[in-house]
Every structure is written in structure tokens, then in C-alpha cells.
Amino acid sequence: SGWYPVQIQNRTHSHASYSSRTLLKRGPKMVSGPLPAANARAMKSIPGGGPVSESTSQETSSDLNERRLLQITEMYAGYRKKHFPSVDDIDAPDALKMTQQDSSKVVFVDVRSPQETAVSTIPGAASEEAFLRDLRAGAIDNTTAIVYCTIGMRSGKFVSQHAEDGKAHGVRLLNLRGSVLAWTHAGGDLVRPSDKSPTKDVHVYAKPWDLARVDYTPHFLAKKGFVQACVDRIARWCA
């Protein structure tokens, strides 16, 4: 017995690196062909790994989206419990509803890096710097600021740090649960900052967070190979 590789259709992962071509499973020999249902279920929990976004031949897009959204929810709950347990937050469907009811009272704040926001943003989102400048100048008093990043880790820390500053100006800061990943599952729009045109491209930071709705095209900090493997490993440590 020991660890042996299992081929997953044409794309595979390793428990050590998402740029690998195989998935490690415990057992005595190599298995080829379609995965049994038991193996497919076991793929959800891989030692040292993150989410597995490939579907089996029996899994529909709806099933995969449901599984991804569950992973987003569980990951965010873990980040919240560990890093910012007392922040106020909001889920993506409720945030979307708020913008549809009165968008003039809602400000979205994108705290991701310029490399990430260059791919796409929630329409009208302000950068971290622009938001803080407008907040201190009193330009957005008496509004609700919904802060987001990839999944809610960085934005949760931002809300925790600046919630009191917001209260001084009548601005309530809310962390977007699951952030831009959950936003795609809720049916929210994304636009290219360059021309404000709608897009299905979304920056997911690194492979462990490749959990956007299946009809979106993910972008990463590094594209492939050794650099991507290092990014993924560091990302898991940081989380």
C-alpha cells in the first residue's frame, strides 16, 4: 500500500502541487479509466490540497457549481472564525438585492491588487485608496460600504480595521461573504475596468480558489509550472 496516482480525465492534480498531472490516492496500485463514485467523493478532501474543480462524467455543471459554492462557504467560515470573528458581513444575494433597490446608498470596495482588478471588478467598485480618501473627506457619508476581495479574507481584515472609521461618518462597512467568487454564483455582473464592458473573466488569485461559477474564465497570479506551484503552496500557508 502507499500513495498512488489516479488519472482524472485529461486534467489532474497532485496533493502537493496543482500543476502536477496526477492525484494521489492511498492504495496498492495505479487505477485508470473513469473514477468510481467513492473515489469521486473522496476527491473532495485531499491531504495538503485545496479544492478540486474538475467534474466527473456524471457531474453536471449545476452539481459542480453547488459543490464549489459549498466550498466557498466553508472556506470563508474558517477565515472568519480565525481572523475576524466580529465583523459585520453580508452574503452575495443580499448584496445584489441592495444594489437593485437603491444603488446610490451602496458603495463597493475592491481591496484586491491592481493585477487582480485589471481583469474585472464589480461595477462601480472603488479601490481601497479611493474609498478611504472619500470616507475621510465625508464624500460618502450615510452609505453602506460592501468590501470584497477573492473570497473574503483580505476584505474581512479591512472591515475589521476600518469599521470604526466608517461609523464616524455614518458609513457601515460590511464584508462580502465569499467575495467575488460568491458574487459570480449569485448572478452578479463583472466588468472590465478598461472599458466597463461586461465580462466572464475573473481573477481567482490562485488554484486553491478556482471556485467561480463554471461559465467564468479564471485568471491566476501565475499561469503554470513551478511558479504556479509555489504560489499555490504559499497561498495555502497564508490562508
Side-chain angles (χ1 to χ4, degrees), residues 153-193:
M153 173 70 160
R154 288 171 287 176
S155 52
K157 291 182 176 181
F158 181 90
V159 171
S160 179
Q161 182 179 356
H162 296 287
E164 292 303 317
D165 297 334
K167 288 180 182 179
H169 293 273
V171 178
R172 185 186 183 196
L173 273 69
L174 299 175
N175 191 30
L176 183 59
R177 299 177 201 142
S179 281
V180 75
L181 296 178
W183 184 257
T184 67
H185 287 272
D189 293 331
L190 293 178
V191 296
R192 296 184 180 90

XYZ file of all heavy atoms in Angstrom, residues 153-193:
311
model
N -11.180 36.998 2.719
C -10.120 37.028 3.737
C -9.539 38.439 3.889
O -9.576 39.035 4.969
C -9.031 36.042 3.357
C -7.800 36.087 4.240
S -8.131 35.450 5.868
C -6.462 35.076 6.394
N -9.026 38.997 2.802
C -8.427 40.328 2.863
C -9.464 41.399 3.175
O -9.210 42.337 3.945
C -7.723 40.642 1.539
C -6.433 39.874 1.321
C -5.886 40.062 -0.098
N -6.687 39.329 -1.077
C -6.483 39.383 -2.402
N -5.547 40.190 -2.886
N -7.216 38.659 -3.225
N -10.642 41.262 2.597
C -11.686 42.249 2.834
C -12.185 42.188 4.278
O -12.521 43.214 4.875
C -12.851 42.044 1.858
O -13.317 40.708 1.876
N -12.209 40.984 4.863
C -12.602 40.864 6.260
C -11.654 41.606 7.181
O -12.070 42.271 8.139
N -10.367 41.483 6.903
C -9.373 42.206 7.703
C -9.515 43.711 7.510
O -9.344 44.492 8.460
C -7.970 41.739 7.326
C -7.661 40.303 7.759
C -6.247 39.915 7.396
C -5.896 38.530 7.904
N -4.500 38.151 7.578
N -9.822 44.137 6.285
C -10.010 45.564 6.005
C -11.203 46.106 6.792
O -11.129 47.187 7.396
C -10.213 45.779 4.507
C -10.393 47.211 4.099
C -9.297 47.993 3.770
C -11.661 47.786 4.045
C -9.454 49.325 3.400
C -11.837 49.108 3.674
C -10.729 49.884 3.352
N -12.315 45.387 6.784
C -13.503 45.819 7.524
C -13.199 45.894 9.014
O -13.583 46.855 9.701
C -14.685 44.871 7.250
C -15.850 45.193 8.199
C -15.142 44.979 5.805
N -12.504 44.885 9.527
C -12.139 44.877 10.940
C -11.302 46.101 11.308
O -11.480 46.704 12.368
C -11.362 43.596 11.272
O -10.980 43.558 12.619
N -10.420 46.509 10.398
C -9.516 47.629 10.662
C -10.210 48.983 10.560
O -9.868 49.924 11.300
C -8.342 47.569 9.680
C -7.309 48.664 9.882
C -6.157 48.549 8.887
O -6.083 47.614 8.082
N -5.236 49.497 8.945
N -11.191 49.104 9.647
C -11.750 50.427 9.357
C -13.219 50.603 9.737
O -13.799 51.650 9.432
C -11.575 50.730 7.863
C -10.151 50.833 7.426
N -9.357 51.911 7.752
C -9.362 49.978 6.720
C -8.135 51.734 7.237
N -8.114 50.561 6.616
N -13.817 49.619 10.413
C -15.243 49.721 10.762
C -15.530 50.952 11.622
O -16.532 51.656 11.412
C -15.691 48.457 11.484
N -14.661 51.235 12.587
C -14.889 52.390 13.461
C -14.749 53.707 12.706
O -15.478 54.670 12.973
C -13.925 52.338 14.646
C -14.199 51.195 15.616
C -15.610 51.234 16.166
O -16.088 52.340 16.520
O -16.251 50.166 16.244
N -13.809 53.757 11.749
C -13.677 54.955 10.917
C -14.970 55.203 10.149
O -15.414 56.351 9.995
C -12.519 54.796 9.925
C -11.180 54.642 10.608
O -11.047 55.141 11.745
O -10.267 54.032 10.016
N -15.575 54.128 9.666
C -16.819 54.260 8.926
C -17.950 54.786 9.793
O -18.719 55.666 9.369
N -18.055 54.263 11.002
C -19.136 54.692 11.901
C -19.085 56.187 12.172
O -20.123 56.841 12.327
C -19.045 53.919 13.212
C -19.456 52.463 13.100
C -19.335 51.756 14.440
C -19.699 50.282 14.330
N -19.560 49.572 15.628
N -17.888 56.745 12.221
C -17.744 58.183 12.479
C -18.372 59.024 11.374
O -18.685 60.201 11.576
C -16.265 58.534 12.642
N -18.549 58.433 10.199
C -19.135 59.146 9.054
C -20.486 58.558 8.654
O -20.995 58.874 7.565
C -18.177 59.098 7.860
C -16.908 59.875 8.071
N -16.813 61.223 7.791
C -15.695 59.486 8.540
C -15.585 61.640 8.072
N -14.883 60.601 8.523
N -21.048 57.723 9.506
C -22.327 57.112 9.168
C -22.237 56.078 8.069
O -23.237 55.780 7.403
N -21.048 55.529 7.866
C -20.846 54.521 6.828
C -20.688 53.157 7.491
O -19.798 52.954 8.312
C -19.588 54.824 5.970
C -19.375 53.726 4.939
C -19.739 56.178 5.294
N -21.566 52.248 7.138
C -21.495 50.895 7.686
C -20.686 50.010 6.738
O -21.022 49.881 5.557
C -22.890 50.304 7.867
C -22.877 48.936 8.558
C -24.256 48.322 8.598
N -24.241 47.053 9.324
C -25.210 46.156 9.267
N -26.285 46.386 8.519
N -25.116 45.027 9.950
N -19.611 49.432 7.243
C -18.775 48.552 6.434
C -19.218 47.101 6.609
O -19.358 46.620 7.738
C -17.297 48.676 6.815
C -16.483 49.768 6.107
C -16.940 51.144 6.578
C -14.992 49.594 6.368
N -19.452 46.423 5.508
C -19.846 45.017 5.513
C -18.864 44.212 4.667
O -18.491 44.648 3.571
C -21.253 44.838 4.937
C -22.420 45.540 5.662
C -23.709 45.346 4.879
C -22.565 45.006 7.076
N -18.465 43.062 5.160
C -17.625 42.168 4.372
C -18.516 41.297 3.500
O -19.509 40.729 3.977
C -16.774 41.290 5.297
C -15.693 40.542 4.549
O -15.196 41.021 3.529
N -15.311 39.378 5.042
N -18.178 41.169 2.230
C -18.951 40.333 1.312
C -18.517 38.877 1.477
O -17.400 38.505 1.134
C -18.746 40.787 -0.133
C -19.551 40.036 -1.206
C -21.052 40.158 -0.930
C -19.215 40.570 -2.596
N -19.392 38.057 2.051
C -19.068 36.654 2.282
C -18.787 35.943 0.960
O -19.601 35.980 0.055
C -20.240 35.928 2.962
C -20.631 36.463 4.309
C -21.853 35.708 4.849
N -22.525 36.489 5.869
C -23.851 36.544 6.023
N -24.638 35.874 5.197
N -24.374 37.273 6.989
N -17.627 35.296 0.881
C -17.265 34.614 -0.358
C -16.817 35.546 -1.451
O -16.394 35.109 -2.523
N -16.972 36.853 -1.215
C -16.484 37.925 -2.090
C -16.774 37.692 -3.568
O -17.869 37.272 -3.929
C -15.009 38.181 -1.799
O -14.883 38.964 -0.614
N -15.799 37.953 -4.447
C -16.096 37.939 -5.881
C -16.459 36.534 -6.365
O -17.230 36.367 -7.317
C -14.918 38.527 -6.681
C -13.752 37.550 -6.768
C -15.361 38.944 -8.088
N -15.949 35.505 -5.691
C -16.312 34.136 -6.075
C -17.800 33.896 -5.850
O -18.508 33.399 -6.728
C -15.482 33.124 -5.289
C -13.977 33.128 -5.531
C -13.288 32.098 -4.629
C -13.659 32.846 -6.996
N -18.284 34.255 -4.662
C -19.709 34.090 -4.366
C -20.562 34.996 -5.246
O -21.688 34.642 -5.616
C -19.967 34.380 -2.892
N -20.040 36.168 -5.582
C -20.759 37.106 -6.454
C -21.070 36.463 -7.807
O -22.156 36.655 -8.356
C -19.923 38.369 -6.624
C -20.547 39.477 -7.411
C -20.269 39.819 -8.703
C -21.531 40.418 -6.950
N -21.013 40.904 -9.087
C -21.797 41.299 -8.026
C -22.200 40.597 -5.747
C -22.720 42.342 -7.922
C -23.123 41.640 -5.637
C -23.368 42.487 -6.721
N -20.126 35.702 -8.356
C -20.390 35.039 -9.641
C -21.515 34.023 -9.505
O -22.336 33.870 -10.415
C -19.132 34.334 -10.182
O -18.761 33.225 -9.337
C -17.967 35.302 -10.299
N -21.579 33.325 -8.387
C -22.629 32.323 -8.187
C -23.989 32.969 -7.948
O -25.023 32.351 -8.227
C -22.271 31.414 -7.013
C -21.171 30.456 -7.306
N -21.381 29.206 -7.866
C -19.823 30.558 -7.141
C -20.230 28.573 -8.013
N -19.262 29.378 -7.583
N -24.004 34.200 -7.430
C -25.263 34.902 -7.185
C -25.823 35.555 -8.444
O -26.941 36.077 -8.426
C -25.069 35.959 -6.096
N -25.041 35.537 -9.520
C -25.500 36.148 -10.768
C -25.162 37.614 -10.888
O -25.709 38.315 -11.759
N -24.254 38.097 -10.033
C -23.838 39.493 -10.125
C -22.966 39.755 -11.338
O -22.265 38.857 -11.816
N -23.004 40.973 -11.841
C -22.217 41.335 -13.027
C -20.774 41.644 -12.654
O -20.478 42.110 -11.551
C -22.815 42.573 -13.707
C -24.179 42.298 -14.312
O -24.431 41.144 -14.698
O -24.999 43.245 -14.384
N -19.880 41.418 -13.610
C -18.497 41.871 -13.548
C -18.208 42.647 -14.823
O -18.756 42.345 -15.886
C -17.527 40.692 -13.425
C -17.572 39.873 -12.134
C -16.583 38.712 -12.212
C -17.272 40.745 -10.925
N -17.341 43.665 -14.705
C -16.982 44.468 -15.878
C -15.472 44.616 -15.962
O -14.760 44.493 -14.961
C -17.628 45.872 -15.818
C -19.143 45.770 -15.875
C -17.174 46.633 -14.579
N -15.002 44.878 -17.182
C -13.586 45.206 -17.379
C -13.376 46.667 -16.994
O -14.065 47.556 -17.519
C -13.188 45.001 -18.838
C -13.275 43.569 -19.328
C -12.764 43.469 -20.754
N -12.825 42.098 -21.264
C -13.876 41.589 -21.896
N -14.944 42.351 -22.129
N -13.859 40.331 -22.311
N -12.430 46.963 -16.131
C -12.197 48.365 -15.748
C -11.802 49.243 -16.926
O -12.078 50.445 -16.926
C -11.054 48.268 -14.731
C -11.135 46.885 -14.201
C -11.594 46.030 -15.351
